[in-house]
Amino acid sequence: MNEPLKFRGFNYKQKKLVTGYYFVNRGRHFIANDELVSLAAQADDFAVDPVTVGMSTGRVDANGREIFEFDILAPAFHPLSRLRYAVRFDRGCSVFVAVAAGRITGPHISLWRLLEREPMAVVGDITTTPEVFNKGRGNYGYPPGDL
């Protein structure tokens, strides 16, 4: 695979999640994409909140939407299910895992195994829409650094 890594983070100026290449310059965090940039562009057009920056998993959900770190997944074909998973990167094992709502510690399931077991859909992002995760089962409401 020679594809470059993709990242996503929240840009306060645009008030939305932006996707592209992630870099840090002079202590500020930025995400830029391949689009042509206007000469009137400013650094704030690309600045992101570092807490919200997550890497692409390289996988897509049941609807074809790309899955990123900190996304919230729910069973795709069970709309009434309250089961929720937060995607995070386990640096100890160098693998993406799915953390069930209410489980900060204990066994997590590999994201790949979860997606093979049951079709999942992205229903939100833990950094910008934590209330979606809070509707899941268990004791929750923790920031992404605590996952």
Side-chain angles (χ1 to χ4, degrees):
M1 284 185 7
N2 291 332
E3 292 184 33
L5 295 176
K6 274 202 294 193
F7 292 85
R8 185 181 66 189
F10 188 78
N11 178 287
Y12 285 111
K13 185 173 182 179
Q14 298 180 38
K15 296 181 176 41
K16 68 177 187 174
L17 290 167
V18 293
T19 304
Y21 306 104
Y22 174 63
F23 62 98
V24 179
N25 185 12
R26 297 182 182 164
R28 293 191 65 195
H29 299 255
F30 301 93
I31 292 182
N33 55 28
D34 281 336
E35 295 176 13
L36 291 174
V37 177
S38 164
L39 294 176
Q42 298 176 352
D44 286 344
D45 294 333
F46 307 100
V48 293
D49 181 351
V51 174
T52 66
V53 174
M55 185 169 46
S56 171
T57 65
R59 301 291 303 259
V60 294
D61 71 357
N63 301 320
R65 183 176 172 182
E66 190 170 8
I67 301 173
F68 284 84
E69 184 177 13
F70 304 130
D71 273 347
I72 302 166
L73 302 176
F77 303 117
H78 303 286
L80 300 178
S81 173
R82 294 181 356 150
L83 187 60
R84 300 286 185 267
Y85 293 94
V87 176
R88 76 174 183 92
F89 186 74
D90 186 329
R91 285 162 181 76
C93 298
S94 296
V95 67
F96 285 99
V97 295
V99 181
R103 281 202 171 162
I104 296 174
T105 60
H108 306 313
I109 186 168
S110 158
L111 177 63
W112 281 255
R113 183 167 289 162
L114 176 68
L115 294 174
E116 287 174 0
R117 188 177 74 186
E118 181 173 9
M120 301 299 275
V122 174
V123 294
D125 179 276
I126 193 73
T127 60
T128 58
T129 55
E131 65 277 1
V132 175
F133 194 61
N134 292 344
K135 291 179 183 175
R137 280 192 234 144
N139 181 14
Y140 28 72
Y142 36 86
D146 292 344
L147 286 178

